[in-house]
Amino acid sequence: MRTPLVAANWKMNGSREFAEHFFADLDLEGVTSDVVVCPPFPYLPLVAQVAKDKGSIWVGGQNMSQEPVGAFTGEVSASMLLDWNARYVIVGHSERRSLYAETNELVAKKFVAAQLAGLIPILCVGETLEEREEGRTLEVVTAQIAAISDLIDTNAWKDAVVAYEPIWAIGTGKTATPEEAQSVHQFIRAQLGNIGAEVQILYGGSVKSANAGALFAQADIDGALVGGASLDAKEFAAICHAAI
Ligand code: 13P
């Protein structure tokens, strides 16, 4: 069946010193889920080295360009992530969508470029508070998924991860209840067609050790994409331990 996955999204936090301490403190002994750490780009080599030495984590990028190479100042390509043994890359995080104007169409191009290069995209989807209050959650998520489905063969979902991150729950301390999250996860799985049963669908938005167990107990929640709590090695390890 589906292996649980816990992903750390450090966002634009940390430093070289922080990263070194983080891994010294990170005790994943006994963890059975897959674990991926997505640091800011400059710390990819450091995380890649830890992944090589410890063997218990995967490396991921937080974003990538849809273009393979060329005059795109400030961008990072899929092959550059692969140079540091990345296995995953987050695409379409809500902060990229809202702060950097990434559209469903652009995110779909990044998703395809990631898969073409051999990376596993972690596609983020989710609604704003306003959209939820207007009862438009499923409509928004459907459009975000459909933009990808339009470009890929249905089977390609097997080599992807979806993260449902309600925007109103990100960094706010408010989490969707396990039941609220489960109902959207179940809906997303159905959107992925026959292959849906094999796709890891993560929940993201104020996940911490105190709420992880109840979220992971839901049938269609296969792990978490963790922001703030992934900056604390003990807290992050506790979330990883809860994913069974
Ligand atoms: P928080 O866990 O800080 O709410 O962030 C969630 C997130 O955006 C992970 O990608």
Side-chain angles (χ1 to χ4, degrees):
M1 273 307 284
R2 301 182 299 268
T3 308
L5 171 66
V6 181
N9 176 9
W10 284 358
K11 308 191 180 184
M12 198 176 74
N13 292 295
S15 63
R16 191 166 152 183
E17 197 188 354
F18 160 81
E20 285 164 1
H21 282 124
F22 179 87
F23 289 111
D25 294 344
L26 186 67
D27 181 4
L28 296 179
E29 185 73 41
V31 167
T32 53
S33 67
D34 286 339
V35 176
V36 52
V37 177
C38 305
F41 293 135
Y43 308 124
L44 277 171
L46 192 151
V47 178
Q49 190 61 47
V50 172
K52 203 168 158 201
D53 295 345
K54 283 199 173 186
S56 52
I57 63 161
W58 296 102
V59 184
Q62 294 180 13
N63 178 33
M64 58 167 263
S65 172
Q66 73 278 17
E67 303 291 345
V69 66
F72 302 102
T73 301
E75 293 290 284
V76 164
S77 70
S79 66
M80 293 171 186
L81 296 177
L82 286 164
D83 267 345
W84 295 108
N85 300 329
R87 185 174 198 235
Y88 296 91
V89 60
I90 298 170
V91 296
H93 191 278
S94 64
E95 285 146 22
R96 300 293 319 171
R97 293 177 188 264
S98 66
L99 301 173
Y100 301 96
E102 293 198 7
T103 60
N104 282 348
E105 290 66 33
L106 177 64
V107 172
K109 283 185 188 158
K110 292 187 178 203
F111 182 105
V112 169
Q115 284 198 332
L116 204 63
L119 288 165
I120 300 174
I122 301 176
L123 170 72
C124 298
V125 298
E127 80 288 1
T128 62
L129 183 58
E130 193 184 355
E131 288 162 343
R132 172 159 281 255
E133 284 172 347
E134 289 169 3
R136 295 177 52 220
T137 299
L138 302 185
E139 178 197 323
V140 169
V141 168
T142 299
Q144 290 168 332
I145 301 270
I148 315 279
S149 292
D150 284 350
L151 299 189
I152 63 167
D153 184 87
T154 314
N155 280 332
W157 282 113
K158 187 164 61 61
D159 301 312
V161 175
V162 179
Y164 170 56
E165 299 206 305
I167 295 167
W168 48 272
I170 295 178
T172 57
K174 279 188 210 162
T175 343
T177 65
E179 295 73 23
E180 277 171 337
Q182 163 58 22
S183 87
V184 181
H185 279 233
Q186 190 177 21
F187 176 82
I188 291 171
R189 200 175 296 291
Q191 298 291 300
L192 306 180
N194 289 340
I195 210 77
E198 295 177 39
V199 182
Q200 290 162 317
I201 305 181
L202 314 182
Y203 172 79
S206 299
V207 175
K208 39 188 179 294
S209 60
N211 58 25
L215 287 160
F216 298 161
Q218 300 296 315
D220 289 294
I221 300 182
D222 303 317
L225 181 53
V226 188
S230 76
L231 296 166
D232 178 323
K234 286 199 173 48
E235 184 64 10
F236 183 63
I239 295 169
C240 295
H241 274 100
I244 40 171

